[in-house]
Amino acid sequence: MSPAPPEQAELFPVYDLIKPNVTFWTHVFTKHTRAQALVHDMGDLSRIYEEIKLNPAKSKEAAQANKATKKKALEKYRTLLLTLSKGKVPETPMEKTVAALFPDKTKPKEFKLAAQRLRVQTGLKEHFMEGVIRSGALIDEFKMIFKSHGLPEDLAYLPCLESAYDIQAYSKSGAAGLWQFTHYTGKLFMDINHVVDQRRDPIVSTHGAARLLKKNYETLENWPMAITAYNHGLNGMSRAKNKHKTYPAIYTDYCSRSFKFASRNFYPEFLAARQVAKNYVNYYGRITLDKPGQKTRYKVKGFVAANDLVCKLPMGLATLQEMNPALKKPVFDGMKYIPPGQTLYLPRHISSDLLDKTLGSLYRTAQRPTPFHRVVKGDTAGSIANAYKVPLKNLIILNGLGKKAVIHIGQILKIPLKEETRPLGAAGVPQSDSLAQSKTRPWPPKQPAKPSLPPDQSKLPNHPPVQ
């Protein structure tokens, strides 16, 4: 089923039962700052017990103090609600204030259930406004992308909710980029490997989001469910639809271990985000939005070293890295090449004609191969580096092992090539490849590495004794 055209009935209906939620999130996005938080009922977002004050500083100490403040507020209202759940007639001013938030003749058990639904929401006014400002650089192009896929243009407001239009956004669960794709879902729609992560390419990831949302809509046949599926997953929403048929029924009655507060509120949050972002002047005044970047986009036609590229063009390695967040660290450490087909974002003074003339002589015929090692009992990062006669630092960088270089039995480690084991300079590239001295190396190497497969352990240099 194709997405409904704009002239048909309201694509994003605001059902009566979710209007309090839309109002709640609108206020969170526009009225309450990070110095404020709301103690509220998760099941009824119109029931707000108190607005508490927080420390707005962005520091570890402030975060710890705010956590304690929120915990104290939750305990206070939990105690009050449990007291009312025993059938006690409200006597104190606080008891009367809390009881007044419920209908007359509320049964005691309802207060007990409300005690289990307490939650604290920190204000997001600054965060959301910053996202609206950033959206100015991309949202018009995003609307065109959605239109090209036959989808409603207003879906371009979803990153206001997902990432506040921050290209560098990365969640604790591993979701990345403007559209907050997980690694698993992202790989269904774009390239994610040890060289590139296109979740962090704003244009490629937006095409991926359009394809995902279109698939959701074709399966679920309405936008409230399709948008909720962006958070909850298509399979989960398909089960919900099969059981409850309509979005209002799903919102009211659907229960599962994963359909919690965030999933239930995702569509109302989108409605609020869309309303605020489209009418930002009404909420924030005449703020100045970022302008679309004047960038050159160029799709490389072969493998090319980042260091070689910046040596031939009027730009630095840091600029190339900043403008191309989809390229991963091994590219800028000189351990891997930029792959063919990858779109580069470059300063506007670098024209496509200049790139056509310059890059031809820099292209390599293949990616730098990487030998592998499977970790066995007794291995350490240091012993593996010694066994292959490579610097430990390079092994750590290539595999992203972190400062402690923790490895696990069965883990596959990439081993730096011999030509990658020279000491790294300040820019993270081999010193002999410094920006002033770099020359294009011949390809293939005189002694090409063996196929990139985990080596036979019996043929490796001696390991430390197995413990």
Side-chain angles (χ1 to χ4, degrees), residues 305-324:
N307 191 49
D308 291 346
L309 190 67
V310 298
C311 284
K312 295 289 187 179
L313 297 173
M315 65 180 297
L317 192 65
T319 299
L320 180 66
Q321 187 167 10
E322 180 182 355
M323 295 184 71
N324 294 273

Side-chain angles (χ1 to χ4, degrees), residues 18-44:
I18 63 171
K19 284 182 178 179
N21 302 56
V22 176
T23 299
F24 175 88
W25 291 112
T26 300
H27 290 171
V28 168
F29 296 153
T30 62
K31 291 186 176 183
H32 302 290
T33 70
R34 61 173 173 265
Q36 302 162 310
L38 302 174
V39 183
H40 67 91
D41 187 321
M42 285 191 288
D44 182 355

Side-chain angles (χ1 to χ4, degrees), residues 245-318:
K245 310 305 179 186
T246 68
Y247 175 84
I250 291 172
Y251 177 86
T252 303
D253 301 323
Y254 182 54
C255 292
S256 78
R257 287 181 294 179
S258 57
F259 194 74
K260 303 296 183 182
F261 181 80
S263 294
R264 195 179 302 278
N265 273 272
F266 195 75
Y267 179 62
E269 280 189 79
F270 165 74
L271 293 175
R274 169 182 174 242
Q275 175 179 310
V276 173
K278 289 184 75 169
N279 305 284
Y280 66 87
V281 174
N282 296 339
Y283 298 98
Y284 304 124
R286 295 196 175 279
I287 56 176
T288 302
L289 306 191
D290 290 347
K291 295 181 180 180
Q294 303 269 334
K295 299 177 182 177
T296 295
R297 297 180 188 177
Y298 188 83
K299 188 172 290 188
V300 296
K301 301 174 179 63
F303 294 96
V304 61
N307 191 49
D308 291 346
L309 190 67
V310 298
C311 284
K312 295 289 187 179
L313 297 173
M315 65 180 297
L317 192 65

Side-chain angles (χ1 to χ4, degrees), residues 419-440:
E419 64 173 335
E420 298 168 354
T421 61
R422 295 186 291 272
L424 296 180
V429 296
Q431 287 179 350
S432 61
D433 287 347
S434 65
L435 299 186
Q437 300 174 357
S438 174
K439 295 181 180 179
T440 303

Side-chain angles (χ1 to χ4, degrees), residues 313-373:
L313 297 173
M315 65 180 297
L317 192 65
T319 299
L320 180 66
Q321 187 167 10
E322 180 182 355
M323 295 184 71
N324 294 273
L327 295 176
K328 300 185 80 171
K329 198 170 185 296
V331 170
F332 299 102
D333 290 337
M335 296 178 177
K336 286 292 178 183
Y337 298 137
I338 300 168
Q342 178 67 27
T343 297
L344 293 181
Y345 300 90
L346 304 167
R348 62 178 178 177
H349 64 266
I350 300 176
S351 68
S352 295
D353 289 341
L354 175 60
L355 292 164
D356 284 337
K357 294 175 182 178
T358 304
L359 268 60
S361 63
L362 302 181
Y363 287 140
R364 318 298 182 98
T365 59
Q367 182 61 274
R368 281 188 168 183
T370 304
F372 295 89
H373 172 88

Side-chain angles (χ1 to χ4, degrees), residues 49-60:
Y49 297 100
E50 184 183 353
E51 179 185 295
I52 58 178
K53 293 183 179 180
L54 301 177
N55 185 339
K58 295 181 179 180
S59 66
K60 183 177 180 180

